[in-house]
Amino acid sequence: GNVRVTVFSPDWAADEELLLLDAIEHHGLGNWDDVAQHVQNKTGEQCKQHYFKHYIDNRPQPQADTADTPLQQETDSQSLQIALVSTAVNTLRAGTPY
């Protein structure tokens, strides 16, 4: 069967998360209509709300003793989230359930 792997919310599949991040990197943060075209089955507003809710507002906070600067905290947090999404997609492609 067709397994749908999600990372943050049930209405966004892991592959859509990757498309979202790729589109934001390519089109730039704020170009939500272009981002939505890249993701394909989401609107610009859905992409914007999902990104801010799951990648900005709810990002994991690094421990104070391991964080060098606020910028380093931000980079570490985004790297962790991208790694989680990539792992989910690779698991889906391999056909192995969690």
Side-chain angles (χ1 to χ4, degrees), residues 3 5 14 18 83-98:
V3 178
V5 177
L18 277 183
L84 289 171
V85 171
S86 297
T87 299
V89 168
N90 289 335
T91 301
L92 174 63
R93 288 183 180 148
T96 5
Y98 277 60

Side-chain angles (χ1 to χ4, degrees), residues 7-75:
V7 180
F8 297 116
S9 65
D11 54 335
W12 279 75
D15 58 336
E16 292 171 326
E17 300 283 357
L18 277 183
L19 286 171
L20 175 68
L21 296 175
D22 184 52
I24 290 170
E25 183 178 343
H26 184 262
H27 296 290
L29 188 63
N31 296 313
W32 299 114
D33 290 338
D34 293 332
V35 168
Q37 284 184 340
H38 190 85
V39 176
Q40 293 183 345
N41 58 347
K42 304 290 182 192
T43 67
E45 188 61 29
Q46 286 173 315
C47 291
K48 176 183 175 181
Q49 288 179 3
H50 183 80
Y51 182 77
F52 280 100
K53 178 178 179 183
H54 296 287
Y55 290 90
I56 302 298
D57 298 341
N58 290 336
R59 66 175 186 246
Q61 296 299 317
Q63 297 299 316
D65 59 351
T66 61
D68 302 327
T69 64
L71 179 60
Q72 185 62 44
Q73 290 178 12
E74 178 102 4
T75 302

